[in-house]
Amino acid sequence: MKKFAVIVAGGSGKRMGSDIPKQFLEVGGKPVLMHTFDVFYAFDPNIEFIFVLPENQINTWNLLCEKHSFEFEYRIAFGGETRFQSVKNGLKCIKEDGIVFIQDAVRPFVSHQTLKNCYKTTVEKGNALPVIPIIDSVRMVNENGNHTVDRSKYFMVQTPQTFQVNLIKNAYQNAENDMFTDDASVFESAGGEIYTVDGNRENIKITTPVDIIIAEAFVKKM
Amino acid sequence: MKKFAVIVAGGSGKRMGSDIPKQFLEVGGKPVLMHTFDVFYAFDPNIEFIFVLPENQINTWNLLCEKHSFEFEYRIAFGGETRFQSVKNGLKCIKEDGIVFIQDAVRPFVSHQTLKNCYKTTVEKGNALPVIPIIDSVRMVNENGNHTVDRSKYFMVQTPQTFQVNLIKNAYQNAENDMFTDDASVFESAGGEIYTVDGNRENIKITTPVDIIIAEAFVKKM
């Protein structure tokens, strides 16, 4: 089936304490976003790519492309004010049915095995969500204080959140709300049932300066 | 107040796919357990240390001590079949009241700030649990399938879980059960209320081979 990848790079980098959005930070001498692209391109060079970029960062991106001789084919959609808007803008660029990987630009260490898991389950069931178990103990805070929860019932969600194109485009027709932290929650809110698959532990979301140290180490080792 | 640290190194290393228990693996040329000790010793050299070690690993530990000229004072308690038993054995070595840090041996990157937070709150309130927010989306699985939860209500728990000695020794008099994933859950099950403090994101639990790559990077950068 035709494959698409919407690489979501809408972030402004505030949590990094850096002026450069984290998707553009160089790790192992190359911007994070290019690493993320590389994994998908190596997995299948026929994927059609849509990069969702903040409109005010297009110049920076073009300069980076020149510097790193990044000369691949992709479309650009503009980021919105929220992740929901950004993904919606990205999905609008897709005009035919198929399977779409919706990927955080700041997750450059997704494995080919995770991509295979996502693709296979989406072909069979219409969607796939990569998750990993939580190693640490987990506590929940509510109006009665905080208490231990059974961590075996909880999973951390990664990307690419993968969907049959028409199904996820339909879900994104619904009104945005604050509970949408990812595409699965949008899909679910529109009545869809989500299927989980195994993610990979290296598939971290580069969010804080500590993550850059980790990312540098992963680039060297992998 | 008198400070104690129970460093819990009961694990057998099965999740690492390695014959060497993970607390003994060398990172930056030194066993993980010694890194963990170093942080606490640098924080306060007057802490009284109890190392909980698997009985069948004492020889290995002694050889490592010789190799690395590790010549500090500490007592050894034998690990039990579960973490609960191991911690209980460690606590038995403490004969006076004070404050005890119960620390996973495989968390060598706890910061002095986290230790300060734990100490201060335990002096004031009797216990302290270092936690960090969850960055990824979180899903919960139950009999109705899986669904998104509000991640702002959930926290990942780290160590040192810190307690006034007599309070936690009392809690460990209770019968063990399967829901005990950490000391806070034991304390809570005995009727105690838990107080959380800020942990630090580097304070990872070295559990899988990926964590060793991260740990090597942290040792170099910190």
Side-chain angles (χ1 to χ4, degrees):
Chain A
M1 226 182 300
K2 179 82 191 155
K3 299 188 190 85
F4 302 88
V6 173
I7 312 287
V8 188
S12 62
K14 278 174 202 154
R15 271 198 280 193
M16 295 296 296
S18 158
D19 284 343
I20 306 174
K22 51 196 183 295
Q23 61 271 19
F24 293 165
L25 282 175
E26 292 186 13
V27 169
K30 190 158 68 174
V32 168
L33 171 54
M34 292 184 190
H35 284 287
T36 304
F37 170 84
D38 285 350
V39 177
F40 282 80
Y41 190 80
F43 178 68
D44 183 349
N46 294 316
I47 292 173
E48 281 194 22
F49 287 90
I50 296 108
F51 291 179
V52 185
L53 296 169
E55 192 168 353
N56 64 5
Q57 297 287 344
I58 301 290
N59 276 344
T60 309
W61 172 245
N62 286 337
L63 290 171
L64 286 172
C65 289
E66 206 170 312
K67 175 177 171 190
H68 295 277
S69 305
F70 187 82
E71 292 169 342
F72 296 91
E73 262 189 49
Y74 57 91
R75 274 170 288 171
I76 287 181
F78 290 147
E81 292 204 359
T82 59
R83 187 180 187 286
F84 178 92
Q85 294 297 337
S86 295
V87 172
K88 191 168 178 170
N89 292 348
L91 291 172
K92 273 185 198 152
C93 296
I94 305 180
K95 303 298 184 194
E96 50 185 315
D97 205 4
I99 282 177
V100 58
F101 300 103
I102 304 176
Q103 172 73 8
D104 292 335
V106 292
R107 290 195 192 261
F109 304 112
V110 59
S111 69
H112 283 196
Q113 185 60 51
T114 297
L115 296 181
K116 266 185 212 166
N117 296 345
C118 288
Y119 183 74
K120 184 166 176 288
T121 295
T122 302
V123 167
E124 289 166 4
K125 299 183 170 170
N127 68 70
L129 188 68
V131 301
I132 55 169
I134 300 183
I135 286 180
D136 292 322
S137 292
V138 177
R139 291 186 85 76
M140 185 188 177
V141 177
N142 63 17
E143 58 280 4
N144 301 318
N146 69 85
H147 60 276
T148 304
V149 298
D150 178 1
R151 70 178 159 199
S152 69
K153 292 202 166 72
Y154 291 85
F155 293 85
M156 288 203 292
V157 176
Q158 305 184 332
T159 69
Q161 306 197 356
T162 310
F163 300 89
Q164 195 194 319
V165 168
N166 288 342
L167 295 178
I168 190 66
K169 285 182 81 160
N170 278 343
Y172 266 93
Q173 293 310 308
N174 286 290
E176 184 172 0
N177 83 50
D178 286 348
M179 280 297 291
F180 293 163
T181 57
D182 62 1
D183 313 299
S185 49
V186 175
F187 188 76
E188 207 167 26
S189 152
E193 184 182 351
I194 288 289
Y195 299 93
T196 59
V197 299
D198 288 341
N200 61 293
R201 199 155 284 281
E202 303 86 343
N203 187 14
I204 60 166
K205 184 171 180 177
I206 297 177
T207 311
T208 67
V210 169
D211 300 322
I212 291 288
I213 298 173
I214 296 172
E216 289 280 1
F218 284 174
V219 165
K220 270 179 212 147
K221 288 274 179 178
M222 287 173 191
Chain B
M1 227 183 296
K2 179 81 191 156
K3 299 189 189 84
F4 302 88
V6 172
I7 312 287
V8 188
S12 62
K14 279 174 201 155
R15 272 198 280 193
M16 295 296 296
S18 156
D19 284 342
I20 306 176
K22 51 196 183 295
Q23 62 270 20
F24 293 165
L25 282 175
E26 291 186 13
V27 170
K30 189 158 69 176
V32 168
L33 172 55
M34 292 184 191
H35 283 289
T36 304
F37 170 84
D38 286 350
V39 178
F40 282 80
Y41 190 80
F43 178 68
D44 183 349
N46 294 315
I47 292 173
E48 280 193 25
F49 287 90
I50 296 108
F51 291 179
V52 185
L53 295 170
E55 192 169 355
N56 64 5
Q57 297 286 344
I58 301 290
N59 277 345
T60 309
W61 172 245
N62 286 337
L63 290 172
L64 286 172
C65 288
E66 205 171 315
K67 177 177 170 190
H68 295 278
S69 306
F70 187 82
E71 293 168 341
F72 296 91
E73 262 189 48
Y74 56 91
R75 274 169 288 172
I76 288 182
F78 290 148
E81 291 205 359
T82 60
R83 188 180 186 286
F84 178 92
Q85 294 297 338
S86 294
V87 172
K88 192 169 177 169
N89 292 348
L91 291 173
K92 272 185 199 152
C93 296
I94 305 180
K95 301 300 183 192
E96 49 185 317
D97 203 5
I99 282 178
V100 58
F101 300 103
I102 304 176
Q103 173 73 8
D104 292 334
V106 292
R107 290 195 191 262
F109 304 113
V110 59
S111 70
H112 283 197
Q113 185 60 53
T114 297
L115 296 182
K116 266 183 212 167
N117 297 346
C118 288
Y119 183 73
K120 183 167 175 290
T121 295
T122 302
V123 168
E124 290 166 4
K125 299 183 171 169
N127 68 71
L129 188 69
V131 301
I132 55 169
I134 299 182
I135 286 180
D136 293 321
S137 292
V138 177
R139 292 186 85 76
M140 185 187 176
V141 177
N142 61 19
E143 58 280 7
N144 301 318
N146 69 84
H147 60 278
T148 303
V149 298
D150 178 0
R151 69 177 157 198
S152 70
K153 292 203 168 70
Y154 291 85
F155 293 86
M156 288 201 294
V157 176
Q158 304 183 333
T159 68
Q161 306 197 356
T162 310
F163 299 88
Q164 196 195 317
V165 168
N166 288 340
L167 296 177
I168 191 67
K169 285 183 81 161
N170 278 343
Y172 267 92
Q173 293 310 311
N174 285 290
E176 186 172 0
N177 82 51
D178 285 349
M179 279 298 290
F180 293 162
T181 57
D182 61 1
D183 313 299
S185 50
V186 175
F187 189 76
E188 208 168 24
S189 154
E193 185 182 348
I194 288 288
Y195 298 94
T196 59
V197 298
D198 288 342
N200 60 294
R201 199 156 285 284
E202 304 86 342
N203 187 15
I204 61 166
K205 184 173 180 176
I206 298 177
T207 312
T208 67
V210 169
D211 300 321
I212 291 287
I213 298 173
I214 296 173
E216 291 280 1
F218 283 176
V219 166
K220 271 180 210 143
K221 288 274 181 179
M222 288 172 189

